[in-house]
Amino acid sequence: MAERMLNVAQAADILGTTERFPRRLIAERRIRFVRVGRHVRIPESALAAFVEANTVRPLQRRGRRCGRAA
């Protein structure tokens, strides 16, 4: 089965942004995309990979710091 291809509006909706942001990602070649004639499509896996690569993980605390006497 073929992978689902998203248009710019669908990609923007998934990312929760305007259409300008995915268009900029495409123009800067920061995301994988496919040209079908003059149409641009973004594979769902490329969008998921972009989100995963740019996800910032929280810091892990190793222990509580002891308070200092002032």
Side-chain angles (χ1 to χ4, degrees), residues 2 5-6 9 11 14 26-27 34-35 62 64:
M5 303 297 272
L6 306 170
I14 290 171
I26 291 166
V34 177
R35 283 198 190 275
R62 294 180 185 215
R64 295 186 82 177

Side-chain angles (χ1 to χ4, degrees), residues 2 12 18 20 25-26 30 34 40-42 49 55 60 65:
T18 64
R20 184 176 179 181
L25 294 176
I26 291 166
R30 293 174 53 199
V34 177
V40 175
R41 297 294 182 257
I42 302 168
T55 298
Q60 297 290 327
R65 293 172 99 182

Side-chain angles (χ1 to χ4, degrees), residues 24-50:
R24 191 177 75 201
L25 294 176
I26 291 166
E28 295 173 356
R29 308 275 199 232
R30 293 174 53 199
I31 194 167
R32 190 167 42 96
F33 65 95
V34 177
R35 283 198 190 275
V36 182
R38 50 178 225 170
H39 302 283
V40 175
R41 297 294 182 257
I42 302 168
E44 257 186 324
S45 63
L47 198 58
F50 175 80

